Amino acid sequence: MVQKYQSPVRVYKNSFEMIMAAYQRRFPTCHLIPMFVGSDIMNEYKSEDGAVHVVERRCKLDVDAPRLLKKIAGVDYVYFIQKNSLNRRDRTLHIEAHNETFASRIVIHEYCCYTVHPDNDDWTCFEQSASLDIKSFFGFESTVEKIAMKQYTSNIKKGKEIIEYYLKQMEEEGITQLPRWTPAPKELQECQTSTSTHSVSPALNIPTITCTDGNSSRDGPPTSSSPPEALSSTPDDKLDADYIKRYLGDLTPLQESCLIRLRQWLQETHKGKIPKDEHILRFLRARDFNIDKSRELLCQSLTWRKQHQVDYLLNTWNPPQVLHDYYAGGWHHHDKDGRPLYVLRLGQMDTKGLVRALGEESLLRHVLSINEEGLRRCEENTNIFGRPISSWTCLVDLEGLNMRHLWRPGVKALLRIIEVVEANYPETLGRLLILRAPRVFPVLWTLVSPFIDENTRKKFLIYAGNDYQGPGGLIDYIDKEIIPDFLGGECLCEVSEGGLVPKALYRTPEELESEDIRLWTETIYQSASVFKGAPHEILIQIVDASSVITWDFDVCKGDIIFNIYHSKRAPQVPKRDTLGAHGITSPVCNNVQLIDKAWQLGRDYSMVESPLTCKEGESVQGSHVTRWPGFYILQWKFHNMPACATSSLPRVDDVLASLQVSSHKCKVMYYTEIIGSEDFRGSMTSLESSHSGFSQLSAATTSSSQSHSSSMVSSPSCVSIHGHLGSCISIFKR
């Protein structure tokens, strides 16, 4: 498996010239890096005007590895080839490195870049990326991978310290400022050229390449291709190391890399707005920074939020009066760490009465609104206290808990709420203080604990009786001044006291069911299953030409191909596939085929747009201006993985991708609308799709792709943003 690393942008508040002077002091060896034994210059090139300087070195490293492993490998030192390309005119330094030792068994690539800060010419930015691919190593592949990652992480941490050490050394020598490079006068330049030709090695015969800035630089080794896209993206798309420390906390280099890579993926598939960085980080922490697992969990959550319009919950949810009167929970200041504090007097709450009076869906929606408010308060406290706060503390008072609270429908509602919260608000609970736990509590804990994530359970602190009043109790986590009065404190807590819900407020199951449907299925989206050989199709009848068909869909599972067809004939009555042919029954997801198998493309119906391939996790919006009246068919079709063109054997990536699509099944969630052309404010070209954003969880990230005049998509993976389509999103959401 290939291990990858991508750093955040690290900013030095020093000029590029000062940083370069400090960097040069690392060679030929550096006592601050014990493993860096030495280096020899293999090739060197200087341009005539002195603006470009390319140096290729062979670096000797003493890797901290077990002696036995070194003996088996038959080496004492490891050698790397490093090429530094300095452009003084553009004030950039590009560094490429790859391993020479064991190159057939291990492939290591590293790219680093020093550039001028885009907003301050006197500051310097640095970022790096690397990849490690261990093909084979005498059966010690796992050990070597751990050693390599440990060494690399250690060197990343030291990198900035080393530069700052040499900057301080220069300051002590009286060097506080260096002039920028300027072209020399012609006669002086000729003199410098004649001098430099004697000092430069015969490496001038090395082939050169033309960089994007028009200057020539050296070709690196064949295995060292151009730097990854991350190093060439715009600064607005990148995360600053200081920002991470201020708003997200202390992360290890590998954790920073995971955050940046997942964020990059979201920018590519959800252009425009993406979830805030602290929200992405929660999902990474919930899955121990496994990018694939975190991405899967996050995509499912974003789809769920969109389907149920959770982003608008704080503005649209108006709790019934029953909740105001009998739900014994509310926000109460903050704990000693600055986390928002939520108080829940569960023992005083009539869970049976609330379920009978409101139903599960209303309770669930209320709990979701509490979590949404918690996210808002975390962000607010981060700004107030000047340090990252990404979770809240919950204080649960169990005084009064009895067998009534173990009423089966009530426990069922509780378990469902826990399941939804665990899936969509991971790592939001910083600490749970359970106070005055009665004897019946172990019974409730036995029922509930299996549904709570192990990492979350570790945050539980349980106190029986009045134990919370002693040493190690409540006073260790909450300031004495804000301990609620009902717990013996002096602070008046405005949380409702709960109590029994009058039976007059109870409603019948039929009333609750209709209310639940009104409350919870308030969504404009529909779901559908797509199978191999069984696409999902919907029919749109157009009476007036030049109408606009708009769509908004999410690919929840698998890869699909999206098509639009036109027919003058009305299809037969939709054939609903109950999925029995696939051995599956699903009352939720539909699968409808409209195009008769006897129909011929070009005779009975025609394709009005080029097919658009959409990957799992993508959220696509687009439009089509109709040219003729008649019947338009929107089709989502299963996408078969293409076979490898150079080999008859399937690629590993293709096999893994096919395994992820169980029973050749894909799922989409879609919404369509017909708009008169005079009312449509979006772009008139079609299949130029943008990826939807998320209001409450989205940061103000931007993606400035331009509109195109053609409706053709150049490649299946190119899902570009539509310049004016954002203006019609409000129509989708109305």
Coordinates of all heavy atoms in Angstrom, one line a residue, residues 101-163:
T101 N 19.2 3.9 -2.8 CA 19.3 2.6 -2.2 C 18.0 1.8 -2.2 O 17.0 2.4 -1.9 CB 19.8 2.7 -0.7 OG1 20.9 3.6 -0.7 CG2 20.1 1.4 -0.1
F102 N 18.1 0.5 -2.6 CA 16.9 -0.3 -2.7 C 15.8 0.2 -3.6 O 14.6 0.1 -3.3 CB 16.3 -0.6 -1.3 CG 17.2 -1.2 -0.3 CD1 17.6 -0.6 0.9 CD2 17.8 -2.4 -0.6 CE1 18.5 -1.1 1.8 CE2 18.7 -3.0 0.3 CZ 19.0 -2.3 1.5
A103 N 16.2 0.9 -4.6 CA 15.2 1.6 -5.5 C 14.3 0.5 -6.2 O 13.1 0.9 -6.5 CB 15.9 2.4 -6.6
S104 N 14.7 -0.7 -6.3 CA 13.8 -1.7 -6.9 C 12.9 -2.3 -5.9 O 11.9 -2.9 -6.3 CB 14.7 -2.8 -7.6 OG 15.5 -3.5 -6.5
R105 N 13.1 -2.1 -4.6 CA 12.3 -2.7 -3.6 C 11.4 -1.6 -2.9 O 10.3 -1.9 -2.5 CB 13.1 -3.4 -2.5 CG 13.9 -4.6 -3.1 CD 14.7 -5.2 -2.0 NE 15.4 -6.4 -2.4 CZ 14.9 -7.6 -2.4 NH1 13.7 -7.8 -1.9 NH2 15.6 -8.7 -2.8
I106 N 11.9 -0.4 -2.8 CA 11.2 0.7 -2.1 C 11.3 1.9 -3.0 O 12.4 2.3 -3.5 CB 11.9 1.0 -0.7 CG1 11.9 -0.3 0.2 CG2 11.1 2.1 0.0 CD1 12.7 -0.1 1.5
V107 N 10.2 2.6 -3.2 CA 10.1 3.8 -4.0 C 9.7 4.9 -3.0 O 8.5 4.9 -2.5 CB 9.1 3.6 -5.1 CG1 9.1 4.9 -6.0 CG2 9.5 2.5 -6.0
I108 N 10.6 5.9 -2.9 CA 10.3 7.1 -2.0 C 10.4 8.3 -2.9 O 11.5 8.5 -3.5 CB 11.2 7.1 -0.8 CG1 11.1 5.9 0.1 CG2 10.9 8.4 0.0 CD1 12.1 5.8 1.2
H109 N 9.4 9.1 -2.9 CA 9.5 10.4 -3.6 C 9.1 11.5 -2.6 O 8.2 11.4 -1.8 CB 8.5 10.5 -4.8 CG 8.9 9.6 -5.9 ND1 10.1 9.6 -6.5 CD2 8.2 8.7 -6.6 CE1 10.2 8.7 -7.5 NE2 9.0 8.1 -7.6
E110 N 9.9 12.6 -2.7 CA 9.5 13.8 -1.9 C 9.6 15.0 -2.7 O 10.5 15.2 -3.5 CB 10.5 13.9 -0.7 CG 10.1 15.1 0.2 CD 11.1 15.2 1.4 OE1 12.3 15.0 1.1 OE2 10.7 15.6 2.5
Y111 N 8.7 15.9 -2.5 CA 8.7 17.2 -3.2 C 8.5 18.3 -2.2 O 7.6 18.2 -1.3 CB 7.5 17.3 -4.2 CG 7.5 16.2 -5.3 CD1 6.8 15.0 -5.1 CD2 8.3 16.4 -6.4 CE1 6.8 14.0 -6.0 CE2 8.3 15.3 -7.4 CZ 7.5 14.2 -7.2 OH 7.6 13.2 -8.1
C112 N 9.3 19.3 -2.2 CA 9.2 20.5 -1.3 C 9.3 21.8 -2.2 O 9.8 21.8 -3.3 CB 10.4 20.5 -0.3 SG 10.5 19.0 0.7
C113 N 8.7 22.8 -1.6 CA 8.7 24.1 -2.3 C 8.7 25.3 -1.4 O 7.9 25.3 -0.4 CB 7.4 24.1 -3.2 SG 7.3 25.6 -4.2
Y114 N 9.6 26.2 -1.6 CA 9.7 27.5 -0.9 C 9.2 28.5 -1.9 O 9.7 28.6 -3.0 CB 11.1 27.8 -0.5 CG 11.6 27.0 0.7 CD1 12.3 25.8 0.5 CD2 11.4 27.4 2.0 CE1 12.8 25.1 1.6 CE2 11.8 26.7 3.1 CZ 12.5 25.5 2.9 OH 13.0 24.8 4.0
T115 N 8.2 29.3 -1.5 CA 7.7 30.4 -2.4 C 7.5 31.6 -1.5 O 7.4 31.6 -0.3 CB 6.4 30.0 -3.1 OG1 5.4 29.6 -2.0 CG2 6.6 28.8 -4.0
V116 N 7.3 32.7 -2.2 CA 6.9 34.0 -1.5 C 5.5 34.0 -1.1 O 4.6 33.5 -1.8 CB 7.2 35.2 -2.4 CG1 6.8 36.5 -1.7 CG2 8.7 35.2 -2.8
H117 N 5.2 34.5 0.1 CA 3.8 34.5 0.6 C 3.0 35.4 -0.4 O 3.4 36.5 -0.8 CB 3.8 35.1 2.0 CG 2.5 34.9 2.7 ND1 1.4 35.7 2.4 CD2 2.1 34.0 3.7 CE1 0.4 35.3 3.2 NE2 0.8 34.3 4.0
P118 N 1.8 34.9 -0.8 CA 1.0 35.7 -1.8 C 0.5 37.1 -1.3 O 0.3 37.9 -2.1 CB -0.2 34.8 -2.0 CG -0.3 33.9 -0.8 CD 1.1 33.7 -0.4
D119 N 0.5 37.3 0.1 CA 0.0 38.5 0.6 C 1.0 39.4 1.2 O 0.8 40.5 1.6 CB -1.1 38.2 1.6 CG -2.3 37.5 1.1 OD1 -2.6 37.8 -0.1 OD2 -2.9 36.7 1.8
N120 N 2.3 38.9 1.3 CA 3.3 39.6 2.0 C 4.7 39.2 1.3 O 5.1 38.1 1.5 CB 3.4 39.4 3.5 CG 4.3 40.3 4.2 OD1 5.3 40.8 3.7 ND2 3.9 40.7 5.4
D121 N 5.3 40.1 0.6 CA 6.5 39.8 -0.1 C 7.7 39.5 0.8 O 8.7 39.0 0.4 CB 6.9 41.0 -1.0 CG 6.0 41.1 -2.2 OD1 5.3 40.1 -2.5 OD2 6.0 42.1 -2.9
D122 N 7.6 39.9 2.1 CA 8.7 39.7 3.0 C 8.5 38.4 3.8 O 9.3 38.2 4.8 CB 8.8 40.9 4.0 CG 9.2 42.2 3.3 OD1 9.9 42.1 2.3 OD2 8.7 43.3 3.6
W123 N 7.5 37.6 3.5 CA 7.3 36.3 4.2 C 7.5 35.2 3.2 O 7.4 35.4 1.9 CB 5.9 36.2 4.8 CG 5.7 37.1 5.9 CD1 6.5 38.0 6.5 CD2 4.5 37.2 6.7 NE1 6.0 38.6 7.6 CE2 4.7 38.2 7.7 CE3 3.2 36.6 6.6 CZ2 3.7 38.5 8.6 CZ3 2.2 36.9 7.5 CH2 2.5 37.9 8.5
T124 N 7.8 34.0 3.7 CA 8.1 32.8 2.8 C 7.2 31.7 3.2 O 7.0 31.4 4.4 CB 9.6 32.4 2.9 OG1 10.4 33.6 2.7 CG2 9.9 31.3 1.9
C125 N 6.7 31.0 2.2 CA 5.8 29.8 2.5 C 6.6 28.5 2.1 O 7.4 28.5 1.2 CB 4.6 29.9 1.6 SG 3.5 31.2 2.0
F126 N 6.3 27.5 2.9 CA 6.9 26.2 2.6 C 5.9 25.1 2.7 O 5.0 25.1 3.6 CB 8.0 25.9 3.6 CG 8.6 24.5 3.6 CD1 9.5 24.1 2.6 CD2 8.2 23.6 4.5 CE1 9.9 22.8 2.5 CE2 8.6 22.2 4.4 CZ 9.5 21.9 3.4
E127 N 5.9 24.2 1.8 CA 5.1 23.0 1.9 C 5.8 21.8 1.2 O 6.7 22.0 0.4 CB 3.7 23.2 1.3 CG 3.6 23.6 -0.1 CD 2.2 23.8 -0.5 OE1 1.3 23.0 -0.2 OE2 1.9 24.8 -1.2
Q128 N 5.4 20.6 1.6 CA 6.0 19.4 1.1 C 5.0 18.3 1.0 O 4.0 18.3 1.6 CB 7.2 19.0 2.0 CG 6.7 18.5 3.4 CD 7.9 18.3 4.3 OE1 8.0 19.0 5.3 NE2 8.8 17.4 4.0
S129 N 5.3 17.4 0.1 CA 4.5 16.1 0.0 C 5.5 15.0 -0.3 O 6.6 15.2 -0.8 CB 3.5 16.3 -1.2 OG 4.2 16.3 -2.4
A130 N 5.0 13.8 0.0 CA 5.9 12.6 -0.1 C 5.0 11.4 -0.3 O 3.8 11.3 0.0 CB 6.8 12.5 1.1
S131 N 5.6 10.4 -0.9 CA 5.0 9.1 -1.0 C 6.0 7.9 -0.8 O 7.2 8.1 -1.1 CB 4.4 8.9 -2.4 OG 5.4 8.9 -3.4
L132 N 5.5 6.9 -0.2 CA 6.3 5.7 0.1 C 5.6 4.5 -0.4 O 4.4 4.2 0.0 CB 6.5 5.6 1.7 CG 7.1 4.3 2.2 CD1 8.5 4.1 1.8 CD2 7.0 4.3 3.7
D133 N 6.3 3.7 -1.2 CA 5.7 2.5 -1.8 C 6.7 1.3 -1.5 O 7.8 1.3 -2.2 CB 5.4 2.6 -3.2 CG 4.7 1.4 -3.8 OD1 4.4 0.5 -3.1 OD2 4.6 1.3 -5.1
I134 N 6.4 0.4 -0.6 CA 7.3 -0.7 -0.3 C 6.8 -1.9 -1.1 O 5.8 -2.5 -0.8 CB 7.4 -1.0 1.2 CG1 7.8 0.3 2.0 CG2 8.3 -2.2 1.5 CD1 7.9 0.1 3.5
K135 N 7.6 -2.3 -2.1 CA 7.2 -3.4 -2.9 C 7.5 -4.7 -2.3 O 6.7 -5.7 -2.2 CB 7.8 -3.3 -4.3 CG 7.4 -2.0 -5.0 CD 8.1 -1.9 -6.4 CE 7.7 -0.5 -7.1 NZ 6.3 -0.4 -7.3
S136 N 8.8 -4.8 -1.8 CA 9.2 -6.0 -1.1 C 10.5 -5.7 -0.3 O 11.3 -4.9 -0.8 CB 9.5 -7.2 -2.1 OG 10.6 -6.9 -2.9
F137 N 10.7 -6.3 0.8 CA 11.9 -6.1 1.6 C 12.2 -7.3 2.5 O 12.0 -7.2 3.7 CB 11.8 -4.8 2.4 CG 13.1 -4.2 2.8 CD1 13.8 -3.5 1.9 CD2 13.7 -4.5 4.0 CE1 15.1 -2.9 2.3 CE2 14.9 -4.0 4.4 CZ 15.6 -3.2 3.5
F138 N 12.5 -8.4 1.9 CA 13.0 -9.6 2.6 C 12.0 -10.0 3.7 O 12.4 -10.6 4.7 CB 14.3 -9.3 3.3 CG 15.3 -8.7 2.4 CD1 15.7 -7.4 2.6 CD2 15.9 -9.4 1.3 CE1 16.6 -6.8 1.7 CE2 16.8 -8.8 0.5 CZ 17.2 -7.5 0.7
G139 N 10.7 -9.8 3.5 CA 9.7 -10.2 4.5 C 9.5 -9.2 5.6 O 8.7 -9.4 6.5
F140 N 10.2 -8.1 5.6 CA 10.1 -7.1 6.7 C 9.4 -5.8 6.2 O 9.7 -4.7 6.7 CB 11.5 -6.7 7.2 CG 12.2 -7.8 7.9 CD1 13.1 -8.7 7.2 CD2 12.0 -8.0 9.3 CE1 13.7 -9.7 7.9 CE2 12.7 -9.0 9.9 CZ 13.5 -9.9 9.3
E141 N 8.5 -5.9 5.3 CA 7.8 -4.8 4.7 C 7.1 -3.9 5.7 O 7.3 -2.7 5.8 CB 6.8 -5.2 3.6 CG 7.4 -5.8 2.4 CD 7.8 -7.3 2.6 OE1 7.4 -7.9 3.6 OE2 8.5 -7.8 1.7
S142 N 6.4 -4.5 6.7 CA 5.7 -3.8 7.7 C 6.6 -3.0 8.6 O 6.4 -1.9 9.0 CB 4.8 -4.7 8.5 OG 4.1 -4.0 9.5
T143 N 7.7 -3.7 9.0 CA 8.7 -3.1 9.9 C 9.4 -1.9 9.2 O 9.5 -0.8 9.8 CB 9.8 -4.1 10.3 OG1 9.2 -5.2 10.9 CG2 10.8 -3.5 11.2
V144 N 9.7 -2.1 8.0 CA 10.4 -1.0 7.2 C 9.5 0.2 7.1 O 9.9 1.4 7.2 CB 10.9 -1.5 5.8 CG1 11.4 -0.3 5.0 CG2 12.0 -2.5 6.0
E145 N 8.2 -0.1 6.8 CA 7.2 1.0 6.7 C 7.1 1.8 8.0 O 7.1 3.1 7.9 CB 5.8 0.4 6.3 CG 4.8 1.5 6.1 CD 3.4 0.9 5.7 OE1 3.4 0.3 4.6 OE2 2.5 1.1 6.5
K146 N 7.0 1.1 9.1 CA 7.0 1.8 10.4 C 8.2 2.7 10.7 O 8.1 3.8 11.1 CB 6.7 0.8 11.5 CG 5.4 0.2 11.5 CD 5.2 -0.9 12.6 CE 3.9 -1.6 12.6 NZ 3.8 -2.6 13.6
I147 N 9.4 2.1 10.3 CA 10.6 2.8 10.5 C 10.7 4.1 9.7 O 11.0 5.2 10.1 CB 11.8 1.9 10.3 CG1 11.9 0.8 11.3 CG2 13.1 2.7 10.2 CD1 13.0 -0.2 11.0
A148 N 10.3 3.9 8.4 CA 10.3 5.0 7.5 C 9.4 6.1 7.9 O 9.7 7.3 7.9 CB 10.0 4.5 6.0
M149 N 8.2 5.8 8.3 CA 7.2 6.8 8.7 C 7.6 7.5 10.0 O 7.5 8.7 10.1 CB 5.8 6.1 8.9 CG 5.2 5.5 7.7 SD 5.0 6.7 6.3 CE 3.7 7.7 7.0
K150 N 8.2 6.8 10.9 CA 8.7 7.4 12.1 C 9.9 8.4 11.8 O 9.9 9.5 12.4 CB 9.2 6.3 13.1 CG 9.8 6.8 14.4 CD 10.3 5.6 15.3 CE 10.9 6.1 16.6 NZ 11.4 5.0 17.4
Q151 N 10.8 7.9 11.0 CA 11.9 8.8 10.7 C 11.4 10.1 9.9 O 11.9 11.2 10.2 CB 12.9 8.1 9.8 CG 13.6 6.9 10.4 CD 14.9 7.4 11.2 OE1 15.3 8.5 11.2 NE2 15.4 6.5 12.0
Y152 N 10.5 9.9 9.0 CA 10.0 11.0 8.2 C 9.3 12.0 9.1 O 9.4 13.2 9.0 CB 9.2 10.5 7.1 CG 8.9 11.6 6.0 CD1 9.9 12.0 5.2 CD2 7.7 12.2 5.9 CE1 9.7 13.0 4.2 CE2 7.4 13.2 5.0 CZ 8.4 13.6 4.1 OH 8.2 14.5 3.2
T153 N 8.4 11.5 10.0 CA 7.7 12.3 10.9 C 8.6 13.2 11.8 O 8.4 14.3 12.0 CB 6.7 11.5 11.8 OG1 5.8 10.7 10.9 CG2 5.9 12.4 12.7
S154 N 9.6 12.5 12.3 CA 10.6 13.2 13.1 C 11.3 14.3 12.4 O 11.5 15.4 12.9 CB 11.6 12.2 13.6 OG 12.6 12.8 14.4
N155 N 11.7 14.1 11.1 CA 12.4 15.1 10.3 C 11.4 16.2 10.0 O 11.9 17.4 9.9 CB 12.9 14.5 9.0 CG 14.1 13.5 9.3 OD1 14.7 13.6 10.3 ND2 14.3 12.6 8.4
I156 N 10.1 16.0 9.8 CA 9.2 17.0 9.5 C 9.1 18.0 10.6 O 9.1 19.2 10.5 CB 7.8 16.4 9.2 CG1 7.8 15.7 7.9 CG2 6.7 17.6 9.2 CD1 6.5 14.9 7.6
K157 N 9.1 17.5 11.9 CA 9.0 18.3 13.0 C 10.2 19.2 13.2 O 10.2 20.3 13.7 CB 8.8 17.4 14.3 CG 7.4 16.8 14.4 CD 7.3 15.9 15.6 CE 6.0 15.3 15.8 NZ 5.9 14.4 17.0
K158 N 11.4 18.6 12.8 CA 12.6 19.3 13.0 C 12.9 20.4 11.9 O 13.7 21.3 12.1 CB 13.8 18.4 12.9 CG 13.9 17.5 14.2 CD 15.2 16.6 14.1 CE 15.3 15.7 15.3 NZ 16.5 14.8 15.2
G159 N 12.2 20.2 10.7 CA 12.5 21.1 9.6 C 12.4 22.6 9.9 O 13.4 23.3 9.6
K160 N 11.3 23.0 10.5 CA 11.2 24.4 10.8 C 12.1 24.9 11.9 O 12.7 26.0 11.8 CB 9.7 24.7 11.2 CG 9.4 26.2 11.4 CD 8.0 26.5 11.6 CE 7.7 28.0 11.7 NZ 6.2 28.3 11.9
E161 N 12.4 24.0 12.9 CA 13.3 24.3 13.9 C 14.7 24.6 13.4 O 15.5 25.5 13.8 CB 13.4 23.2 15.0 CG 12.1 22.9 15.7 CD 12.1 21.7 16.6 OE1 13.2 21.1 16.7 OE2 11.1 21.4 17.1
I162 N 15.1 23.8 12.4 CA 16.5 23.9 11.8 C 16.6 25.3 11.1 O 17.6 26.0 11.2 CB 16.8 22.8 10.8 CG1 16.8 21.5 11.6 CG2 18.0 23.0 10.1 CD1 16.9 20.2 10.8
I163 N 15.6 25.6 10.3 CA 15.6 26.9 9.6 C 15.7 28.1 10.6 O 16.5 29.0 10.4 CB 14.4 27.1 8.7 CG1 14.5 26.1 7.5 CG2 14.3 28.5 8.1 CD1 15.6 26.3 6.5

